[in-house]
C-alpha cells in the first residue's frame, strides 16, 4: 500500500514523520540506486550498506543477492522495476530470523532548513496463499538519522505488505526537513518482521531528492505548453512561475532553457517569477529552479525545479508518397492510398491548392468517381501541413455493353446454340467454354462473362427451357367428334391431315372412317402421330317415320372388310343381328315397335370390338 499523506514534522529529541510523498515539486535526484543490470549476480553492496550476507546463489534466511532474477524457492518470477532495463537487477532479500537493517547510505552536502524525499520501490516475493496461508508479511521501516548515527530524525513504516501474488511494484517514501546546521544524514531501511516462512522481498530504484513547493509555469492565458508549426516563424511567450507555498515561505528563482530536457542551461539575469522567453525557431523547453534562499537556488542538492513549459516547433511534414494511380471498372470503388510517417495524418482534397476537403485522418481514400485527388500530410497535433500535395489519379473504365438477358428454348433430344453477341472480348461461359457461341443440350441457366481489353467484365444470362415432344395418350370418338388427349402439356396444335392445324384438341362433325392424328408444338420441335378408327355412333335415334334420324346406323364401318352388329335390350335379349348387308336398326323386333329405352350394341369389325349403348326415343 502507498500512503499519500502530508508530512507532519515536529522538532524534538527525535524528529518523527510518517510515510508520504513530496506534495510539491522535486529537484533532480541527488542519488539514485537501481542496482545495475546483467545476468551475473552481484556485485555485493559496499561494506556497511547492509547487515545481511551477500550470496551469488539462492539467498537463504539472512542472505541477500543483487540479481536480474527472483526465481528462487517458490517465489514470484518478476522483472526489476527500473524502466527500460534489459536484465535489470534488484536488491533481493531473504529476511533474517530477527529484525535487522536492510540498507543504509550517508548523504552529504545537504542544505539547512530544506525538505527532502527518500523513496524506494518494494515488492513481496511470496505467492498468494504460501506457507499454508501463514506467510509472514513484509514490513519495512524508513529512517533518517543524523550524521553521527545517534539521533533519529524521522521514520515511517510501510505496514504489512502481503503476499498477494501480484507482480506489480509499489513505491514508498519518507519526507523530512533538515534543521539549522544540518548538512549530512544517514538513510536506512529496516526489517520490522522476523524471518521464517515469508518476509521475502525485492528492493529497487532507491531515490533521494529535494522537496519543495508545487510550482506551475503558465502564460497569462493559462497556456501550460505551446505547439507551433515552423512556418509560423520565431515565437516567444511571457511565462509566470506560481509556487503554492506548501513548503517554502520565500522564493528565489533561476530560469533555465533546454533543447532536449536533459541538458539545462541557466538564462543569465532571469531571476524573477516572470520570464519573457527569447524568440525560438526550434523546439525549446523552459523551467525555473526555486529555493527558499538565494544562496541555495543554484545548489542542486537544495533546490527544486518547476513544471516544464514546452515550446514545440513542429517541422513542416514532407508530402506523402503515393502508392500509385488506380484503375477500376465502372460500378466499383477504388482505394487511393499514400504513405507517411506515423506522426502525421492525411487529408484529401479535390485540388492541388485550396479546393474542398474530402476526407481527413486516413491514408486510404475510397471513391468510385474518376478524377485526380490530392493527399496532404499534416501534424496530428496542430495544423501544420506539407508544402505540397501528392496527386493520385483514379481512372474508371467502362464495362463491355452486353445485350439484355434472354430466354431460349431447346427441343427435346436436340441442341441449341447460345450467342454472346459481342465481339473483341474474351468469354467465360458457366460451362467452362471460352468461345462466343456454345451449343447446349440441356435446359437450365447459362451465363457468359465477357471481359474487355481494360479488364472490365459484364455478364449475360440465358434461361433455356426444354420443349417436349407431344405424347398422345388417348383418342376417342364422342359422337361425330374426335377427342385427342396428351400425357404432357404444351402449346400444342392438332391436325387430321398434317397440313391444317388447330389449337383445339377436339375435331367436331367428322365423318366416320380411318384417320391419322397429328399433334405438334407450335415451336416446330416435332410432330407426334397416331392412327385412329373413328366410328360415329348416335347417342340416340327417333324412329318416328319423319325420315330424320329414324335409323340407328353407325357411320364408318365401310372401311372394314367384314363386320357384324348385335343390338340387345337391357336384359341382354338379342333384338338385331346384322352385317355388311344390314348395318342399321329401325327400332323394331319381329315387326313390333320397341319402347323408349336404352339399348346396347356390340360391333365386331375385323379384329376390333366396339361396345356401348344408345337411346331410343319416340
Amino acid at each position: 500500500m502507498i500512503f499519500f499523506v502530508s508530512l507532519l514534522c515536529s522538532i524534538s529529541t527525535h524528529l518523527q514523520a510518517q510515510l508520504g510523498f513530496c506534495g510539491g515539486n522535486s529537484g533532480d535526484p541527488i542519488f539514485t540506486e537501481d542496482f545495475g543490470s546483467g545476468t551475473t549476480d552481484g556485485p555485493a553492496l559496499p561494506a556497511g550498506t547492509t547487515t545481511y550476507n551477500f550470496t551469488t546463489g539462492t539467498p537463504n534466511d539472512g542472505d541477500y543477492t543483487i540479481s536480474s532474477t527472483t526465481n528462487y524457492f517458490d517465489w514470484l518470477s518478476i522483472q526489476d522495476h527500473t524502466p527500460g532495463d534489459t536484465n535489470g537487477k534488484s536488491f533481493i532479500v531473504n529476511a533474517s530470523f530477527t529484525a535487522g537493517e536492510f540498507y543504509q547510505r550517508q548523504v552529504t552536502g545537504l542544505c539547512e532548513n530544506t525538505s527532502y524525499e527518500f523513496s524506494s520501490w518494494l515488492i513481496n516475493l511470496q505467492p498468494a496463499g504460501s506457507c499454508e496461508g501463514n506467510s509472514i508479511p513484509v514490513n519495512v521501516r524508513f529512517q533518517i538519522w543524523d550524521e553521527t548515527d545517534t539521533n533519529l530524525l524521522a521514520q515511517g513504516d510501510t505496514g504489512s505488505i502481503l503476499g498477494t501474488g501480484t507482480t506489480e511494484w509499489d513505491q514508498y517514501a519518507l519526507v523530512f526537513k533538515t534543521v539549522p546546521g544540518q548538512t549530512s544524514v544517514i538513510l536506512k531501511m529496516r526489517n520490522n518482521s522476523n524471518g521464517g516462512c515469508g518476509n521475502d522481498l525485492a528492493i529497487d530504484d532507491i531515490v533521494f531528492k529535494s522537496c519543495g513547493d508545487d510550482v506551475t509555469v503558465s502564460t497569462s492565458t493559462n497556456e501550460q505548453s505551446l505547439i507551433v508549426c515552423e512556418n509560423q516563424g520565431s515565437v516567444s511567450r511571457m511565462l509566470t512561475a506560481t509556487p503554492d507555498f506548501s513548503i517554502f515561505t520565500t522564493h528565489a528563482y533561476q530560469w533555465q532553457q533546454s533543447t532536449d530536457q536533459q541538458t539545462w542551461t541557466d538564462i543569465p539575469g532571469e531571476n524573477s517569477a516572470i520570464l519573457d522567453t527569447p524568440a525560438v525557431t526550434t523546439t525549446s523547453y523552459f523551467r525555473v529552479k526555486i529555493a527558499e534562499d538565494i544562496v541555495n537556488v543554484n545548489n542542486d542538492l537544495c533546490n527544486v525545479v518547476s513544471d516544464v513549459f514546452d515550446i514545440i516547433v513542429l517541422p513542416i511534414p514532407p508530402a506523402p508518397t503515393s502508392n500509385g494511380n488506380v484503375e477500376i471498372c465502372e460500378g466499383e470503388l477504388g482505394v487511393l492510398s499514400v504513405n507517411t510517417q506515423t506522426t502525421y495524418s492525411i487529408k484529401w482534397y479535390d485540388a492541388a491548392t485550396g479546393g474542398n476537403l474530402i476526407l481527413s485522418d486516413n491514408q486510404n481514400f475510397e471513391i468510385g468517381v474518376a478524377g485526380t485527388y490530392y493527399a496532404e500530410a499534416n501534424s496530428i497535433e496542430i495544423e501544420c501541413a506539407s508544402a505540397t500535395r501528392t496527386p493520385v489519379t483514379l481512372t474508371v473504365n467502362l464495362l463491355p455493353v452486353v445485350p439484355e438477358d434472354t430466354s431460349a428454348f431447346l427441343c427435346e433430344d436436340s441442341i441449341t446454340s447460345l450467342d454472346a453477341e459481342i465481339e473483341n472480348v474474351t468469354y467465360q461461359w458457366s460451362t467452362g467454354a471460352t468461345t462466343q457461341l456454345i451449343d447446349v443440350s440441356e435446359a437450365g441457366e447459362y451465363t457468359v462473362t465477357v471481359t474487355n481489353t481494360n479488364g472490365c467484365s459484364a455478364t449475360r444470362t440465358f434461361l433455356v427451357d426444354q420443349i417436349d415432344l407431344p405424347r398422345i395418350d388417348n383418342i376417342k370418338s364422342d359422337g361425330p367428334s374426335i377427342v385427342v388427349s396428351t400425357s404432357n402439356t404444351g402449346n400444342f396444335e392438332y391436325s387430321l391431315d398434317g397440313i391444317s392445324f388447330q389449337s383445339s384438341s377436339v375435331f367436331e362433325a367428322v365423318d366416320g372412317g380411318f384417320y391419322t392424328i397429328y399433334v405438334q408444338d407450335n415451336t416446330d420441335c416435332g410432330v407426334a402421330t397416331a392412327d385412329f378408327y373413328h366410328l360415329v355412333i348416335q347417342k340416340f335415334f327417333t324412329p318416328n317415320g319423319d325420315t330424320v334420324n329414324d335409323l340407328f346406323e353407325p357411320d364408318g364401318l365401310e372401311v372394314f372388310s367384314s363386320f357384324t352388329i348385335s343390338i340387345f335390350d337391357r336384359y341382354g335379349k338379342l333384338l338385331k343381328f346384322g352385317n355388311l348387308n344390314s348395318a342399321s336398326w329401325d327400332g323394331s323386333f319381329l315387326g313390333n315397335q320397341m319402347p323408349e329405352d336404352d339399348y346396347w350394341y356390340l360391333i365386331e369389325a375385323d379384329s376390333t370390338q366396339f361396345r356401348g349403348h344408345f337411346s331410343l326415343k319416340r
Side-chain angles (χ1 to χ4, degrees), residues 26-28 210 289-291 296-305:
S26 301
D28 292 329
S210 58
K289 296 187 295 186
I290 301 178
N296 292 331
V297 75
N298 287 314
N299 185 342
D300 290 342
L301 276 67
C302 308
N303 62 31
V304 296
V305 293

Side-chain angles (χ1 to χ4, degrees), residues 493-512:
E493 296 177 330
Y494 305 85
S495 175
L496 294 178
D497 59 8
I499 299 173
S500 299
F501 284 85
Q502 64 181 41
S503 60
S504 174
S505 62
V506 178
F507 298 96
E508 297 179 346
V510 180
D511 292 337

Side-chain angles (χ1 to χ4, degrees), residues 9 22-23 78 85 226 271 313 356 380 404 409 413 418 438-439 499:
C9 297
C22 177
I78 62 171
D85 262 3
L226 179 65
N271 306 114
V313 180
N356 298 303
I380 60 176
E404 292 182 357
F409 67 87
D413 298 328
L418 305 180
I438 63 170
D439 291 333
I499 299 173

Side-chain angles (χ1 to χ4, degrees), residues 114-151:
T114 302
S115 295
Y116 293 93
E117 179 189 270
F118 167 37
S119 67
S120 180
W121 291 83
L122 307 176
I123 186 170
N124 189 329
L125 295 175
Q126 286 288 337
S130 59
C131 304
E132 298 181 350
N134 296 310
S135 175
I136 300 170
V138 171
N139 192 318
V140 177
R141 176 169 293 172
F142 285 62
Q143 294 182 329
I144 310 291
W145 292 78
D146 72 356
E147 68 274 13
T148 67
D149 200 14
T150 58
N151 294 314

